[in-house]
CSV table of all heavy atoms in Angstrom, one decimal:
chain,number,residue,atom,x,y,z
M,43,SER,N,139.3,152.5,-110.4
M,43,SER,CA,138.3,152.5,-109.3
M,43,SER,C,137.0,151.9,-109.7
M,43,SER,O,136.4,152.3,-110.7
M,43,SER,CB,138.2,153.9,-108.7
M,43,SER,OG,137.2,153.8,-107.6
M,44,GLY,N,136.5,150.9,-109.0
M,44,GLY,CA,135.3,150.2,-109.3
M,44,GLY,C,135.4,149.0,-110.2
M,44,GLY,O,134.4,148.2,-110.3
M,45,HIS,N,136.5,148.9,-110.8
M,45,HIS,CA,136.8,147.7,-111.7
M,45,HIS,C,137.2,146.5,-110.8
M,45,HIS,O,138.1,146.7,-109.9
M,45,HIS,CB,137.8,148.0,-112.7
M,45,HIS,CG,137.3,148.8,-113.9
M,45,HIS,ND1,138.0,148.9,-115.1
M,45,HIS,CD2,136.2,149.5,-114.0
M,45,HIS,CE1,137.3,149.7,-115.9
M,45,HIS,NE2,136.2,150.1,-115.3
M,46,ARG,N,136.7,145.3,-111.1
M,46,ARG,CA,137.0,144.2,-110.2
M,46,ARG,C,137.7,143.1,-111.0
M,46,ARG,O,138.2,142.1,-110.4
M,46,ARG,CB,135.7,143.6,-109.7
M,46,ARG,CG,134.9,144.6,-108.8
M,46,ARG,CD,133.5,144.2,-108.4
M,46,ARG,NE,133.5,142.9,-107.8
M,46,ARG,CZ,132.5,142.1,-107.7
M,46,ARG,NH1,131.3,142.4,-108.2
M,46,ARG,NH2,132.5,140.9,-107.0
M,47,SER,N,137.8,143.2,-112.3
M,47,SER,CA,138.6,142.2,-113.0
M,47,SER,C,139.9,142.8,-113.5
M,47,SER,O,140.0,143.9,-114.0
M,47,SER,CB,137.8,141.8,-114.3
M,47,SER,OG,138.5,141.0,-115.2
M,48,VAL,N,141.0,142.0,-113.3
M,48,VAL,CA,142.3,142.4,-113.7
M,48,VAL,C,142.9,141.3,-114.6
M,48,VAL,O,142.9,140.1,-114.2
M,48,VAL,CB,143.2,142.6,-112.5
M,48,VAL,CG1,144.7,142.9,-113.0
M,48,VAL,CG2,142.7,143.8,-111.7
M,49,SER,N,143.3,141.6,-115.8
M,49,SER,CA,143.9,140.6,-116.7
M,49,SER,C,145.4,141.1,-116.9
M,49,SER,O,145.7,142.2,-117.0
M,49,SER,CB,143.2,140.6,-118.0
M,49,SER,OG,141.8,140.2,-117.9
M,50,TRP,N,146.2,140.1,-117.1
M,50,TRP,CA,147.6,140.3,-117.4
M,50,TRP,C,148.0,139.8,-118.8
M,50,TRP,O,147.5,138.7,-119.2
M,50,TRP,CB,148.5,139.6,-116.3
M,50,TRP,CG,148.4,140.2,-115.0
M,50,TRP,CD1,147.6,139.9,-114.0
M,50,TRP,CD2,149.3,141.2,-114.5
M,50,TRP,NE1,147.8,140.7,-112.9
M,50,TRP,CE2,148.9,141.5,-113.1
M,50,TRP,CE3,150.4,141.9,-115.0
M,50,TRP,CZ2,149.5,142.5,-112.3
M,50,TRP,CZ3,151.0,142.9,-114.2
M,50,TRP,CH2,150.6,143.1,-112.9
M,51,TYR,N,148.8,140.5,-119.5
M,51,TYR,CA,149.3,140.2,-120.8
M,51,TYR,C,150.8,140.4,-120.9
M,51,TYR,O,151.4,141.2,-120.2
M,51,TYR,CB,148.7,141.0,-121.9
M,51,TYR,CG,147.2,140.8,-122.0
M,51,TYR,CD1,146.3,141.5,-121.1
M,51,TYR,CD2,146.6,140.0,-122.9
M,51,TYR,CE1,144.9,141.4,-121.2
M,51,TYR,CE2,145.2,139.8,-123.0
M,51,TYR,CZ,144.4,140.5,-122.2
M,51,TYR,OH,143.1,140.3,-122.3
M,52,GLN,N,151.4,139.5,-121.7
M,52,GLN,CA,152.9,139.7,-122.0
M,52,GLN,C,153.0,140.1,-123.5
M,52,GLN,O,152.3,139.5,-124.3
M,52,GLN,CB,153.6,138.4,-121.8
M,52,GLN,CG,155.1,138.4,-122.1
M,52,GLN,CD,155.7,137.1,-122.3
M,52,GLN,OE1,155.4,136.3,-123.2
M,52,GLN,NE2,156.6,136.7,-121.4
M,53,GLN,N,153.8,141.1,-123.7
M,53,GLN,CA,154.0,141.6,-125.1
M,53,GLN,C,155.5,141.5,-125.4
M,53,GLN,O,156.3,142.1,-124.8
M,53,GLN,CB,153.5,143.0,-125.3
M,53,GLN,CG,153.6,143.4,-126.8
M,53,GLN,CD,152.9,144.7,-127.1
M,53,GLN,OE1,153.0,145.6,-126.2
M,53,GLN,NE2,152.3,144.9,-128.2
M,54,THR,N,155.8,140.7,-126.5
M,54,THR,CA,157.2,140.6,-127.0
M,54,THR,C,157.2,140.8,-128.5
M,54,THR,O,156.1,140.6,-129.1
M,54,THR,CB,157.8,139.2,-126.7
M,54,THR,OG1,157.0,138.2,-127.4
M,54,THR,CG2,157.9,138.9,-125.2
Side-chain angles (χ1 to χ4, degrees):
Chain M
S43 178
H45 284 195
R46 297 169 61 198
S47 169
V48 173
S49 299
W50 289 89
Y51 295 84
Q52 180 197 65
Q53 187 174 33
T54 59

